[in-house]
């Protein structure tokens, strides 16, 4: 059995960041990655049009000024291939690959309470041991793959956007169906539409989307960012979302309609996803949100020629940004093409696959290729996939049967020395996740470093603390409009999943202050033991 100080699960941005920090403090570390390459979500999501909705300069590591200066982003919002090149560059530049084992999935992890170590089983049948188990599995890494009646009889090709094949996919001369209108579906639709013989988009829920506002990065812009990158990083750290945009402190209701529309117009053409920050109360007040939503509905409607299609595509059943809005490059105008049609599967649900297509309650759509852009089992899917057993054999899946319970989104009572990066209960998908990754990773490693100095072998979240944190997460969510819409924020993306609010909506800056206070108070809410609890109990019983 190979033994390590820490085993990290996942070689995406979080896993590489954790590896870098832990190795630099002298720890022996192994990263287990089930895929054949590094990059996590950016390794798998190679669908056409895949692009980040956070500006490239902010969706990057901040730990190395040299890295910041040498990497040259080509576009304001990077495409999937460019992001994948970046993370591979980082792995090579900092010699991270030697501690990463690809094509190696963690099947199970069991906590050895006597030795205060995790015993890990891989899909290759190997047994490993580590003091710390660090889960860096991401929030959008376990795909939802629908199973419709007759699916196995379909004679065409079926692809899921979240596990895009590592080969060229062609659409020329093909009748293509895209099921799903979240970010993946909206980003790929314009690209597929230009090549396919015919494209049918199957929509259950009309979604808000804003223009990607993408553009090439000029040499002058690149030089300006790099001349004062530190200030840009500080601005992101001190913003609510980590996006670097300065939120407008005004209320949308404090100005007249003309001024409000002027602000919205400027945000619409420049901020991309940051449109939600045009006024500070867009996600706090239904009345304020209505002004933003109505502006966007008008913008969306103006792009669509056919009145019937327009009526179906303009979202009306949820507040803007209560579901994560998309950023797109020509999604709505794609429906003006003669070779693109919309199938409303809320009005006419999919009934079955046939050998030559998809049948809805309305008609048979003849297809040669179907692309599932149906998203992910977010936040908890990848954490609950392996068998993770804590103290007394408690299965994490059972502990979270009614929803995830964490202390600060990082630790779980009854699961000592288990640390989660950007897990449920942390800002994660309500933030620039790169800022959250670095913030949480550094805090965790500092805690491990302090524990080492004090002879601590077991770090465990307290039951009372995690209960209080979950209550706080829900209290903050109730201050917003997030719970007014069915979304992956509250578990609505998977049938039967607990309907609880998953991320922390209190903001990056506020969350960091909570982390800092926790550390100053001796890591309040965590119990740090020099002797494993199991040994203490055994001595007491003797």
């Amino acid at each position: 059995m190979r033994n390590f100080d820490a085993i990290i699960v996942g070689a995406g941005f979080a896993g590489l960041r954790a590896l870098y920090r832990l190795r630099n403090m002298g720890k022996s570390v192994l990263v287990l990655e089930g895929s054949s390459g590094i990059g996590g979500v950016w390794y798998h999501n190679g669908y056409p049009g895949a692009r980040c909705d956070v500006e490239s300069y902010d969706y990057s590591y901040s730990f190395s000024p040299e890295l910041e200066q040498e990497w040259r982003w080509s576009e304001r919002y990077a495409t999937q291939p460019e992001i994948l090149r970046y993370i591979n560059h980082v792995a090579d530049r900092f010699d991270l690959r030697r501690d990463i084992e690809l094509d190696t999935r963690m099947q199970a992890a069991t906590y050895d309470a006597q030795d205060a170590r995790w015993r890990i089983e891989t899909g290759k049948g190997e047994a490993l041991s580590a003091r710390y188990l660090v889960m860096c599995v991401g929030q959008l890494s376990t795909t939802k793959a629908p199973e419709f009646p007759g699916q196995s009889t379909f004679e065409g090709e079926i692809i899921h956007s979240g596990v895009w094949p590592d080969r060229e996919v062609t659409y020329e001369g093909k009748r293509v169906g895209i099921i799903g209108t979240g970010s993946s579906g909206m980003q790929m639709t314009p690209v597929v539409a230009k090549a396919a013989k015919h494209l049918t988009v199957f929509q259950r829920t009309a979604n808000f989307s804003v223009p990607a506002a993408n553009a090439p990065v000029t040499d002058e812009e690149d030089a300006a960012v790099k001349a004062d990158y530190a200030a840009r990083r500080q601005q992101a750290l001190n913003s609510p979302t980590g996006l670097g945009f300065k939120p407008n402190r005004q209320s949308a209701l404090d100005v007249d309609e003309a001024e409000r529309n002027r602000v919205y117009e400027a945000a619409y053409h420049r901020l991309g996803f940051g449109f939600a920050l045009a006024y500070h109360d867009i996600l706090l007040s239904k009345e304020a949100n209505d002004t933003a939503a109505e502006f966007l509905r008008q913008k969306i409607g103006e792009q669509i020629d056919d009145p019937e299609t327009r009526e179906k595509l303009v979202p009306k059943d949820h507040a803007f940004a209560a579901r994560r809005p998309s950023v797109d490059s020509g999604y709505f105008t794609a429906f003006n093409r003669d070779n693109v049609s919309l199938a409303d599967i809320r009005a006419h649900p999919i009934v079955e696959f046939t050998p030559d297509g998809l049948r809805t309650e309305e008609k048979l759509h003849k297809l040669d290729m179907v692309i599932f852009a149906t998203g992910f089992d977010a936040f908890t899917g990848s954490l609950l996939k392996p068998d993770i057993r804590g103290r007394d054999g408690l299965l994490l899946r059972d502990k979270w049967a009614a929803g995830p319970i964490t202390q600060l989104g990082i630790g779980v009572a009854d699961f000592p020395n288990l640390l989660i990066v950007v897990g449920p209960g942390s800002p994660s998908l309500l933030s620039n996740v790169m800022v959250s990754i670095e913030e949480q990773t550094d805090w965790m490693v500092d805690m491990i470093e302090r524990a080492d100095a004090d002879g601590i072998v077991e770090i465990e979240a307290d039951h009372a603390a995690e209960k209080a944190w979950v209550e706080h997460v829900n209290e903050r969510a109730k201050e917003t409009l997030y719970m007014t819409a069915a979304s992956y924020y509250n578990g609505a993306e998977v049938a039967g999943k607990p309907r609880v609010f998953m991320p922390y909506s209190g903001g990056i800056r506020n969350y960091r202050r909570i982390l800092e206070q926790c550390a100053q108070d001796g890591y309040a809410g965590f119990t740090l033991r020099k002797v494993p609890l199991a040994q203490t109990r055994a001595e007491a019983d003797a």
Side-chain angles (χ1 to χ4, degrees):
M1 179 185 294
R2 291 188 289 163
N3 299 296
F4 300 90
D5 294 318
I7 287 179
I8 297 167
V9 182
F13 276 105
L16 265 61
R17 185 63 164 82
L19 169 59
Y20 176 82
R21 268 300 312 267
L22 285 166
R23 200 169 74 182
N24 279 3
M25 67 177 286
K27 295 294 184 187
S28 59
V29 188
L30 177 67
V31 179
L32 302 179
E33 171 53 58
S35 306
S36 299
I38 66 170
V41 66
W42 296 109
Y43 175 79
H44 291 289
N45 283 257
Y47 60 85
R51 186 184 298 275
C52 190
D53 57 9
V54 175
E55 286 201 44
S56 305
Y57 287 104
D58 302 309
Y59 197 83
S60 62
Y61 291 122
S62 68
F63 66 83
S64 168
E66 294 78 17
L67 174 64
E68 289 178 334
Q69 293 298 316
E70 72 191 21
W71 184 263
R72 175 65 161 86
W73 292 105
S74 67
E75 297 182 77
R76 188 163 170 246
Y77 292 93
T79 60
Q80 177 265 347
E82 186 167 17
I83 295 170
L84 197 57
R85 287 196 299 273
Y86 173 78
I87 195 169
N88 276 280
H89 170 78
V90 172
D92 292 334
R93 191 191 192 288
F94 297 99
D95 190 26
L96 300 179
R97 294 186 196 275
R98 60 184 166 92
D99 293 318
I100 301 172
E101 291 193 4
L102 301 175
D103 298 308
T104 306
R105 193 171 299 278
M106 185 182 84
Q107 295 287 95
T110 303
Y111 187 66
D112 184 333
Q114 287 294 325
D115 290 343
R117 294 186 69 83
W118 282 94
R119 311 296 181 189
I120 289 132
E121 300 171 32
T122 74
K124 296 178 177 178
E126 185 179 8
L128 306 167
S129 168
R131 174 74 70 204
Y132 296 101
L133 178 59
V134 185
M135 300 298 291
C136 296
V137 292
Q139 311 85 17
L140 302 176
S141 49
T142 295
T143 57
K144 293 185 299 175
E147 281 291 336
F148 292 102
Q151 192 164 315
S152 62
T153 69
F154 182 57
E155 295 175 355
E157 185 176 13
I158 297 176
I159 303 174
H160 194 293
S161 63
V163 283
W164 200 258
D166 187 19
R167 57 175 171 78
E168 184 180 3
V169 178
T170 59
Y171 318 100
E172 288 76 7
K174 294 180 181 178
R175 299 163 299 180
V176 181
I178 295 176
I179 302 176
T181 55
S183 289
S184 302
M186 284 185 154
Q187 288 181 341
M188 74 173 72
T189 289
V191 182
V192 176
K194 290 176 183 177
K197 178 181 180 181
H198 189 272
L199 171 64
T200 304
V201 177
F202 294 83
Q203 172 190 275
R204 184 181 62 182
T205 303
N207 199 15
F208 285 101
S209 186
V210 294
N214 190 46
V217 174
T218 67
D219 290 341
E220 291 76 17
E221 289 169 332
D222 183 63
V225 170
K226 290 176 177 176
D228 201 5
Y229 218 140
R232 186 182 181 108
R233 297 293 193 190
Q234 280 302 120
Q235 184 171 312
L237 280 170
N238 290 307
S239 69
T241 59
L243 291 174
F245 299 123
K246 289 183 179 179
N248 186 346
R249 296 300 179 187
Q250 283 184 303
S251 165
L253 305 176
D254 287 345
V255 296
D256 62 30
E257 184 178 4
E259 169 62 14
R260 192 164 54 231
N261 285 342
R262 185 192 65 78
V263 170
Y264 285 152
E265 191 73 32
Y268 182 79
H269 291 290
R270 175 67 178 88
L271 294 188
F273 183 68
F275 183 91
L277 303 176
Y279 289 101
H280 81 90
D281 55 351
I282 285 177
L283 267 163
L284 303 178
S285 159
K286 177 66 164 59
E287 292 76 15
N289 192 282
D290 285 345
T291 67
E294 189 52 41
F295 175 88
L296 291 173
R297 290 186 187 111
Q298 183 175 335
K299 286 291 187 183
I300 291 169
E302 289 171 354
Q303 300 175 63
I304 305 161
D305 295 341
D306 178 62
E308 185 177 342
T309 304
R310 183 189 310 132
E311 180 66 20
K312 294 175 182 177
L313 283 172
V314 174
K316 305 176 185 68
D317 65 350
H318 63 279
F320 166 64
R323 294 164 56 94
R324 187 177 178 100
S326 299
V327 295
D328 76 277
S329 300
Y331 173 72
F332 296 107
T333 56
F335 290 91
N336 297 330
R337 299 176 63 98
D338 293 337
N339 69 326
V340 178
S341 58
L342 180 70
D344 183 353
I345 57 175
R346 175 165 291 180
H348 305 286
I350 295 172
V351 175
E352 62 181 354
F353 271 84
T354 67
D356 59 349
L358 264 177
R359 187 186 305 280
T360 68
E361 289 182 352
E362 181 183 31
K363 60 182 286 189
L364 171 65
H365 299 266
K366 292 192 174 183
L367 302 167
D368 305 301
M369 174 187 292
V370 173
I371 301 172
F372 287 138
T374 46
F376 304 87
D377 182 351
F379 293 104
T380 57
S382 295
L383 288 165
L384 299 182
K385 187 182 292 186
D387 281 348
I388 301 178
R389 295 183 180 273
R391 194 182 302 284
D392 301 322
L394 177 62
L395 194 62
L396 184 63
R397 204 174 295 128
D398 291 338
K399 166 139 186 174
W400 286 5
I405 305 169
T406 69
Q407 161 62 346
L408 303 178
I410 289 171
V412 184
D414 300 311
F415 292 79
N417 296 350
L418 173 69
L419 300 171
I420 304 170
V421 181
V422 290
S426 75
S428 56
L429 291 179
L430 289 181
S431 69
N432 172 0
V433 74
M434 288 294 290
V435 174
S436 286
I437 283 170
E438 296 203 300
E439 187 171 77
Q440 291 171 45
T441 299
D442 287 340
W443 188 87
M444 290 178 192
V445 174
D446 288 346
M447 179 169 65
I448 291 173
E449 197 164 25
R450 181 165 164 183
D452 282 357
D454 293 342
I456 301 298
V457 298
E458 196 169 63
I459 301 172
E460 182 175 358
D462 300 335
H463 286 94
E466 66 177 8
K467 181 175 183 291
W469 181 249
V470 170
E471 289 173 354
H472 176 66
V473 168
N474 282 279
E475 286 167 4
R476 293 307 304 260
K478 289 173 185 175
E479 298 170 359
T480 74
L481 300 176
Y482 286 123
M483 293 300 287
T484 65
S487 72
Y488 65 53
Y489 293 145
N490 50 43
E493 82 281 16
V494 176
K497 191 171 181 177
R499 291 295 295 271
V500 297
F501 195 70
M502 303 278 178
Y504 178 62
S505 60
I508 284 276
R509 180 176 53 192
N510 186 55
Y511 180 74
R512 184 174 70 255
R513 289 170 178 166
I514 293 170
L515 290 181
E516 289 170 349
Q517 190 61 52
C518 174
Q520 290 171 17
D521 293 341
Y523 295 98
F526 293 85
T527 299
L528 280 61
R529 305 185 185 97
K530 295 184 178 180
V531 177
L533 180 61
Q535 292 185 23
T536 304
R537 286 175 174 173
E539 291 170 3
D541 293 340

